């Protein structure tokens, strides 16, 4: 048995598992493949976490269940996320464990001035935002102790984002990076290590249960500024960025499902996008990792 069960071994799940293990706490990490960080206190289990009976069995003795799984493609969300959520809720209820959910800002939808704090209403109109809203409401209605921690787009080791997907590959090949977003709009980026710290801290603090909180994150920067800092940290020449016309992805979405799903969320990249975590920081004493430190963490991992 382990005091903590982590669902998913991606950027957040792996960080949560390592953080707990480094504190001397036993962790069971559940993925389909049995992957995850190597550590004497981390037990990796290959299992289908969307099977309520199996996840409940694997969660026996757990004080906290961390739901950190996220399908790799938007096109899989509607099919894979609801069963995972239902199974996590069932396991938490069966063992009276706290359920800590890795959330996002999708449920808010478009907001005036692109500003969101811990009390912004969930007003999403798109499919993925409405799905996130329903999942959080499902957890709240389940009669369990639960908390959702919301962050913006991730940077840091193993993070899948603007730098890893668009900028680094282009720089390696000596080409321009085509970006699906306005290059000069401020955007909040969240260090994945800070998300892990927030999940662990809030899961163990009863003041946090029953509502959503934001991860303290560095001040918003533009994609152009982020790219400059990333290439500086990597010791590479500045990246040439080309802003892809917005209609391109929307037109492609008429025939390509993934393009359609990306276009649905493009409002985040063509207008200011600010996440405020003041209440979380003040209540729990959490602070954001400096942006350049987070960038070095990601760039160093990719280069090594």
């Amino acid at each position: 048995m382990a005091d903590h069960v982590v669902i998913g071994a991606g950027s957040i799940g792996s960080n949560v598992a390592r953080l707990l293990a480094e504190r001397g706490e036993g962790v069971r990490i559940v993925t389909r493949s049995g992957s995850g960080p190597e550590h004497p206190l981390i037990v990796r289990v290959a299992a289908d976490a969307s099977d309520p009976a199996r996840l409940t069995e694997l969660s026996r003795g757990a004080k906290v269940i961390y739901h950190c799984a996220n399908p790799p493609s938007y096109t899989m969300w509607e099919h894979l996320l609801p069963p995972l959520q239902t199974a996590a809720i069932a396991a938490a209820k069966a063992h009276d464990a706290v359920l800590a959910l890795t959330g996002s800002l999708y449920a808010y939808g478009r907001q005036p001035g692109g500003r969101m704090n811990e009390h912004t209403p969930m007003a999403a109109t798109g499919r993925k935002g409405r799905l996130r809203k329903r999942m959080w409401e499902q957890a709240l209605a389940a009669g369990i102790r639960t908390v959702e921690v919301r962050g913006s787009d991730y940077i840091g080791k193993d993070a899948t984002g603007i730098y890893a997907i668009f900028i680094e590959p282009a720089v390696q090949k000596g080409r321009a990076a085509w970006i699906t977003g306005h290059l000069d709009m401020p955007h909040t980026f969240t260090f994945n290590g800070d998300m892990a710290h927030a999940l662990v801290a809030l899961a163990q603090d009863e003041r946090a249960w029953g509502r959503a909180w934001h991860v303290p994150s560095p001040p918003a920067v533009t994609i152009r500024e982020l790219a400059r800092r990333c290439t500086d940290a990597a010791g590479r020449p500045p990246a040439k960025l080309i802003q892809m016309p917005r209609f391109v992805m929307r037109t492609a979405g008429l025939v390509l499902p993934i393009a359609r799903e990306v276009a649905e969320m493009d409002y985040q990249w063509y207008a200011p996008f600010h996440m405020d975590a003041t209440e979380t920081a003040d209540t729990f004493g959490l602070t954001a990792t400096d942006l350049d430190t987070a960038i070095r963490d990601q760039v160093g991992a990719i280069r090594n």
Side-chain angles (χ1 to χ4, degrees), residues 1-301:
M1 294 191 296
D3 286 340
H4 304 274
V5 169
V6 178
I7 305 169
S11 170
I12 306 305
S14 293
N15 270 291
V16 168
R18 280 192 291 261
L19 175 61
L20 290 165
E22 288 166 2
R23 293 181 177 183
E25 302 188 54
V27 181
R28 178 177 291 120
I29 189 164
V30 182
T31 66
R32 285 183 179 274
S33 64
S35 61
E38 293 188 7
H39 190 283
L41 292 177
I42 297 176
V43 176
R44 296 175 293 180
V45 179
D48 180 2
S50 65
D51 179 343
R54 181 64 171 137
L55 185 61
T56 296
E57 175 189 356
L58 291 172
S59 301
R60 185 175 293 112
K63 297 175 182 177
V64 183
I65 298 171
Y66 299 88
H67 182 356
C68 305
N70 197 41
S73 171
Y74 279 154
T75 58
M76 304 166 70
W77 275 32
E78 289 280 356
H79 176 64
L80 296 181
L81 281 178
L84 282 167
Q85 183 84 343
T86 298
I89 290 171
K93 182 175 291 188
H95 301 300
D96 191 29
V98 174
L99 177 59
L101 300 168
T102 307
S104 70
L105 307 180
Y106 286 20
Y108 298 134
R110 302 171 190 261
Q111 292 293 324
R115 296 187 178 277
M116 295 150 284
N117 62 31
E118 290 91 342
H119 297 283
T120 296
M122 295 186 293
T125 57
R127 290 187 304 280
K128 291 180 289 299
R130 294 199 309 269
L131 174 61
R132 285 292 188 184
K133 178 176 182 290
R134 289 197 304 273
M135 289 169 57
W136 174 228
E137 291 172 341
Q138 178 188 8
L140 288 175
I144 59 175
R145 294 173 295 161
T146 187
V147 59
E148 182 165 285
V149 183
R150 296 173 180 166
S152 190
D153 295 88
Y154 296 125
I155 52 175
K157 182 181 178 181
D158 301 326
T160 302
I162 289 285
Y163 180 75
I165 296 175
F166 298 106
I167 300 172
E168 171 69 12
V171 171
Q172 283 184 334
K173 296 175 182 179
R175 299 176 180 173
W178 288 81
I179 306 295
T180 55
H182 198 297
L183 300 178
D184 297 303
M185 287 292 176
H187 191 97
T188 296
F189 292 90
T190 296
F191 179 41
N192 54 12
D194 288 343
M195 169 59 90
H197 277 275
L199 278 165
V200 171
L202 272 60
Q204 299 179 37
D205 192 324
E206 63 182 20
R207 295 175 299 169
W209 302 340
R211 55 166 293 188
W213 301 84
H214 288 176
V215 184
S217 301
V221 296
T222 66
I223 294 175
R224 196 184 304 278
E225 176 65 11
L226 181 74
R228 184 190 66 77
R229 294 196 190 190
C230 286
T231 52
D232 283 352
R236 297 183 180 275
K240 181 180 180 181
L241 308 179
I242 300 176
Q243 182 175 316
M244 183 182 298
R246 194 172 186 180
F247 73 84
V248 171
M249 196 63 67
R250 296 189 171 198
T251 302
L254 297 175
V255 292
L256 297 174
I258 186 59
R260 182 165 57 251
E261 298 296 340
V262 170
E264 180 189 289
M265 305 308 301
D266 71 3
Y267 67 87
Q268 298 177 96
W269 299 101
Y270 285 95
F273 198 73
H274 296 273
M275 183 185 72
D276 185 325
T278 301
E279 186 173 2
T280 308
D282 290 347
T283 303
F284 302 102
L286 300 177
T287 58
T289 296
D290 175 74
L291 179 62
D292 288 320
T293 300
I295 286 171
R296 287 194 296 272
D297 186 66
Q298 179 164 21
V299 169

